[in-house]
Amino acid sequence: MRIRLIAMFIMIALFPYTVYANEHEWDKLDQISDEALQLTKNDRLQEAKQLLEYFEKQFALFREDIHSMDVIYVLTATHEEALRAVTASSVPTEQRINQLTQFRLAVDAVHSKHQPLWKEMKYAVMSAFDKMKQAMEQEDEQSFQQAFHQFLQRYELIEPSVKINADREQVQRVSAHISLLEAPAFRQLHATERMKELRQMEEDLQALFADGKKETTLPSLWWVMTSIGGMIVMTLTYVGWRKYRGEKEGKMVRDKQ
């Protein structure tokens, strides 16, 4: 009985209840966001709207457990844009789907930190960036601007998700590159300087997709198993030694009698 209590105490200490308390809720929210996106793609906007409103109610039940204001802000902002997209009839279909996709990816970024869906868009983002480089090498300004516009559209889909679970410094570096490319002064730079900037931006984009935010709040599963196993073994050894010592002392008392 004592060993069970010790093992339970170790489990509680290593895995706070809040981690499990929200797991089911996040599964539900993840599914809601995905269904809302599929409904939007099928032009079933009223049903998508109802799901998004339901999402808002469910999210409000445990948002206080989220200790990151960045996560709350991103989810709230992308949810509002998604709800507006399915509500306003004036929103173009492509933009509407993009807004729901952006929201879907953001929810997944919270729920799936190790392999989030936004990283699967690496090819789409980098292929647009490659077109930018090719246009720059050919000194074709019009093609460059078209490719840059395509790149921005694709990167904006994942930007909220990136802010949730990518390295903050990497995110800021990519944002700085984009701001420079959007500035009129970029066109005034020498071709060599412009290519240098694009190569550096490419490196930072690759690092962004390759980077995975390390879990600092929870130990790894292997470390946990080792720690728990070690504690239980130590406890069993101690209990066994106490039992052996007690039996030995009892035998000595009986022999003296």
Side-chain angles (χ1 to χ4, degrees):
M1 183 65 180
R2 181 181 298 177
I3 296 175
R4 290 183 181 178
L5 290 174
I6 293 174
M8 288 176 62
F9 174 78
I10 295 171
M11 290 295 291
I12 293 171
L14 293 176
F15 296 99
Y17 173 74
T18 54
V19 174
Y20 292 104
N22 291 338
E23 189 65 26
H24 176 68
E25 285 84 352
W26 277 117
D27 285 339
K28 184 190 299 183
L29 295 182
D30 196 54
Q31 183 178 359
I32 292 173
S33 66
D34 183 61
E35 290 179 1
L37 172 60
Q38 301 308 319
L39 288 170
T40 302
K41 288 181 178 180
N42 293 323
D43 204 30
R44 297 163 61 181
L45 303 184
Q46 185 59 34
E47 294 173 72
K49 178 184 177 182
Q50 292 174 353
L51 271 180
L52 290 173
E53 291 172 343
Y54 179 63
F55 177 98
E56 184 176 14
K57 294 177 181 178
Q58 293 300 307
F59 180 59
L61 296 177
F62 67 98
R63 61 179 294 170
E64 293 181 358
D65 294 334
I66 302 175
H67 302 297
S68 172
M69 291 304 299
D70 290 341
V71 171
I72 294 176
Y73 173 78
V74 169
L75 287 183
T76 302
T78 55
H79 174 268
E80 289 177 352
E81 289 298 318
L83 188 58
R84 186 187 68 82
V86 298
T87 303
S89 58
S90 59
V91 177
T93 301
E94 182 180 0
Q95 182 181 343
R96 181 180 292 124
I97 294 175
N98 286 345
Q99 293 291 356
L100 268 293
T101 300
Q102 188 184 70
F103 171 64
R104 168 76 182 97
L105 293 175
V107 176
D108 176 80
V110 179
H111 188 242
S112 306
K113 294 184 178 181
H114 297 293
Q115 288 296 330
L117 289 174
W118 67 265
K119 288 195 174 185
E120 295 182 10
M121 291 192 63
K122 177 181 179 179
Y123 176 79
V125 173
M126 296 309 298
S127 62
F129 184 83
D130 287 341
K131 292 179 182 178
M132 290 167 54
K133 282 181 57 182
Q134 293 172 9
M136 182 67 69
E137 290 171 350
Q138 297 169 3
E139 297 185 2
D140 186 341
E141 184 62 30
Q142 183 176 357
S143 296
F144 174 80
Q145 292 300 326
Q146 290 175 348
F148 183 43
H149 178 69
Q150 184 183 60
F151 168 82
L152 286 179
Q153 284 184 318
R154 296 178 181 181
Y155 184 75
E156 285 173 358
L157 287 178
I158 67 172
E159 188 173 18
S161 308
V162 165
K163 291 179 178 179
I164 289 176
N165 62 11
D167 181 78
R168 179 171 295 184
E169 182 178 348
Q170 288 293 346
V171 176
Q172 292 174 343
R173 287 173 68 88
V174 172
S175 297
H177 288 303
I178 293 175
S179 297
L180 177 59
L181 266 62
E182 289 178 322
F186 181 73
R187 300 183 184 182
Q188 307 303 320
L189 294 176
H190 190 273
T192 304
E193 293 298 319
R194 298 176 77 183
M195 279 304 302
K196 182 179 179 181
E197 171 64 23
L198 285 184
R199 292 192 185 98
Q200 183 59 58
M201 183 176 179
E202 183 176 23
E203 290 183 12
D204 290 332
L205 281 169
Q206 292 288 357
L208 184 70
F209 280 103
D211 177 77
K213 178 175 280 188
K214 297 179 180 179
E215 296 292 335
T216 57
T217 56
L218 290 176
S220 67
L221 179 60
W222 175 253
W223 186 90
V224 171
M225 291 172 64
T226 304
S227 300
I228 293 174
M231 289 293 291
I232 292 177
V233 169
M234 289 175 61
T235 303
L236 287 170
T237 302
Y238 175 73
V239 172
W241 177 78
R242 287 289 301 272
K243 182 179 180 180
Y244 169 77
R245 183 177 177 182
E247 291 177 351
K248 186 175 181 180
E249 290 177 351
K251 185 175 182 300
M252 291 176 62
V253 172
R254 288 193 298 271
D255 290 343
K256 291 180 179 181
Q257 293 176 349

